[in-house]
Structure formats: C-alpha cells, structure tokens
Amino acid sequence: GQQVMQIPQYQHVQEGEDFTTYCNSSTTLSNIQWYKQRPGGHPVFLIQLVKSGEVKKQKRLTFQFGEAKKNSSLHITATQTTDVGTYFCAAYMEYGNKLVFGAGTILRVKS
Amino acid sequence: DTEVTQTPKHLVMGMTNKKSLKCEQHMGHRAMYWYKQKAKKPPELMFVYSYEKLSINESVPSRFSPECPNSSLLNLHLHALQPEDSALYLCASSQDRGTGGGRQPQHFGDGTRLSIL
C-alpha cells in the first residue's frame, strides 16, 4: 500500500542539542502534515506544507517540504524537555483520499 | 484542552459485550474520523464520514459499526470484539475533507483506551 517512511524510530538527545526527523515517500505527495503526540496524549496538529520547497518555522521548529514533494523534515533547534513525545508526519498522496501516517519518531530529551 | 470530546476515556469489556464509543465536536467540522492506535504505532484509519455520510471504510471487521447521527456526533458501536482489538481509539474531525492542497488539519480527541478481556 501507499506508505510514508519515517526515520529515525527513536532519538535520545541531551537538552540543548538539535533533533531532526525525516519522512520520505516513493510517490508524490499532495501535502504533508506534522503532528506531535505527548506520552499518554493524542496527536496534535503542528503544521501543514503544500508547496514544493516550502519552509516554515515555528519558534525552534523548522519544517521543510522537498522540491519533488516526496520528502519532508522537521528540525528542532536546542531541544527542551517539553519537546519530548512522538513526532508523526502524515501525508495525502497526490491522488489519494486518506491521510497516511509515518511510523513516528520518539524523542527523549535528557536534562 | 481538546475541542473533540470522546467518552468514555477508558473501557474494559468482555468479548461478548456490546458497547459504544462516542465522539462530539462543536467546531462546525463536516468530516469526522475514527482511528485505532496500538502502543508505539501510528494511528490507523478505520472510517471517514464526510457531511454525515460514510465515505471510507478501511476494510474494518463488521464487529465495529460506525454511526454519524448528526454533523457533531460520531459513534462507534462495538460487538463481539477480540483481545487484539485492545487499543486506543481516536476520533478526529476536520473542517471538511478538501482536495489536493486544500486538505485540512485534523483535530483529535483524547481517545478511548479500550481493553478486551
């Protein structure tokens, strides 16, 4: 089936270090959304990228959508303990009708 | 705080029981979703309702029966579930389903944590 591959599966960082998670698809994506799920919580929408090469920033978070609309990344600068959780990318394929989630990256931050 | 309300928060049921999960949103959203999420896994889509009509059923077993009584409410009726159905069941809503770049973000409820004995 249609898949969005996400790596890494886990990332443990020291507080203050940077963090990046990557999503990749073999097919063109219509758009890509990013969600954060805190431990014991529910997914919370962070951002949506639609245009080829788009870059959006939210404070310490930078989101990118690849030129070919087949990949995306989320970069967190100077992680804090409040950043812990699972980050999911989720995308609609170019002619798809449902949101497909990546496997998620679990971020742990050591203080 | 979430604008999508799910009840109950926890549910333990036997394999012969019948129960229902409820979801409510008052954001005027016209698309509503049921997802199943196992531990350390992403949400898996089960059903999509658009303008109160079922538009996607991801080949979900008939022991799960969705219902959309009106634009604000979404139910999931459960009957004769199996132990492997134990999971977090998430409801979500979006403004509408949109197309292409007009897709809308989904707002999730806190979920119902379901355990099947």
Side-chain angles (χ1 to χ4, degrees):
Chain A
Q2 297 169 332
Q3 287 188 340
V4 177
M5 308 303 294
Q6 186 173 358
I7 58 169
Q9 188 177 3
Y10 299 97
Q11 186 84 60
H12 292 198
V13 300
Q14 193 70 39
E15 190 174 20
E17 291 182 340
D18 292 355
F19 159 77
T20 306
T21 173
Y22 303 89
C23 281
N24 187 59
S25 171
S26 58
T27 58
T28 304
L29 304 173
S30 174
N31 67 359
I32 194 155
Q33 300 175 358
W34 286 91
Y35 292 81
K36 176 184 178 181
Q37 186 171 19
R38 294 182 183 275
H42 59 275
V44 174
F45 173 77
L46 295 176
I47 209 154
Q48 175 169 268
L49 305 171
V50 178
K51 298 177 184 174
S52 167
E54 192 168 13
V55 178
K56 288 188 177 180
K57 291 181 187 258
Q58 287 180 351
K59 297 183 181 178
R60 294 179 293 105
L61 278 60
T62 302
F63 304 84
Q64 294 189 332
F65 200 9
E67 293 289 342
K69 298 184 73 172
K70 290 185 177 182
N71 62 287
S72 181
S73 64
L74 157 58
H75 179 83
I76 302 178
T77 303
T79 54
Q80 299 175 358
T81 54
T82 52
D83 294 326
V84 299
T86 303
Y87 292 85
F88 292 102
C89 62
Y92 285 93
M93 304 299 155
E94 192 165 31
Y95 301 107
N97 63 354
K98 65 176 184 178
L99 192 61
V100 177
F101 279 79
T105 296
I106 298 172
L107 172 64
R108 294 285 179 257
V109 179
K110 293 176 284 190
S111 59
Chain B
D1 285 344
T2 181
E3 296 173 86
V4 177
T5 304
Q6 288 188 244
T7 56
K9 292 196 182 307
H10 302 273
L11 179 61
V12 179
M13 58 187 285
M15 288 189 282
T16 58
N17 292 156
K18 286 185 181 181
K19 295 285 185 183
S20 297
L21 309 185
K22 296 187 183 301
C23 175
E24 189 169 6
Q25 57 88 13
H26 293 290
M27 294 179 281
H29 289 176
R30 301 313 299 269
M32 296 185 78
Y33 311 79
W34 280 115
Y35 288 88
K36 174 184 177 180
Q37 187 177 29
K38 291 279 208 179
K40 299 193 190 312
K41 296 291 186 183
E44 294 175 46
L45 184 65
M46 300 174 71
F47 302 103
V48 180
Y49 273 83
S50 180
Y51 290 84
E52 298 154 55
K53 292 192 188 319
L54 182 65
S55 60
I56 295 180
N57 176 342
E58 285 289 290
S59 302
V60 179
S62 60
R63 58 185 184 267
F64 295 92
S65 175
E67 178 196 19
C68 189
N70 60 55
S71 60
S72 300
L73 293 174
L74 187 66
N75 299 323
L76 186 63
H77 302 299
L78 315 173
H79 174 55
L81 295 195
Q82 303 297 308
E84 62 265 27
D85 296 323
S86 297
L88 179 67
Y89 287 83
L90 292 161
C91 172
S93 70
S94 64
Q95 194 169 353
D96 55 39
R97 292 199 55 214
T99 56
R103 304 292 188 174
Q104 300 296 318
Q106 295 187 13
H107 299 253
F108 286 82
D110 289 336
T112 293
R113 203 161 291 279
L114 177 65
S115 298
I116 307 300
L117 301 178

